[in-house]
Amino acid sequence: QVQLVESGGGLVQAGGSLRLSCAAVGRTFSSYRMGWFRQAPGKERDFVAAISQSGMTTYYAISVKGRFTISRDNAKNTVYLQMNSLKPEDTAVYYCATALHITTEARRYDDWGQGTQVTVSS
């Protein structure tokens, strides 16, 4: 299996930016499609963004499109989520995950990180 370690979360003022990182340890990183999800207390886990093996194809939730950017560096075994123009509604625990085929469905992802807290104050 693949171990995923997220970092970069924290407290930020509305309108600010954060960059989340997800480092992978295990089989060849480039073999996996990667996704970011988020979950607020008492709510369902929601899709945020996904990226293909090469990084040439990306998908975004409508709520973050134009503000967030997913990218990957296969040489560093790392996927990133650049978050700009953050809103209080973005407050959640953010998780990265792996999939064998690009998808927005959480149930089709195989390995998950432990999550990193993002809190946006108003």
Side-chain angles (χ1 to χ4, degrees), residues 46-97:
D46 293 327
F47 169 77
V48 176
I51 190 167
S52 64
Q53 291 173 300
S54 67
M56 296 182 65
T57 302
T58 57
Y59 296 111
Y60 296 94
I62 190 169
S63 60
V64 307
K65 191 174 183 64
R67 300 188 298 120
F68 291 9
T69 302
I70 187 171
S71 62
R72 67 191 298 164
D73 186 338
N74 289 340
K76 296 182 178 180
N77 291 345
T78 302
V79 63
Y80 305 95
L81 185 68
Q82 178 67 46
M83 305 184 295
N84 298 326
S85 301
L86 283 163
K87 305 175 180 179
E89 307 94 274
D90 296 318
T91 296
V93 177
Y94 284 71
Y95 301 88
C96 66

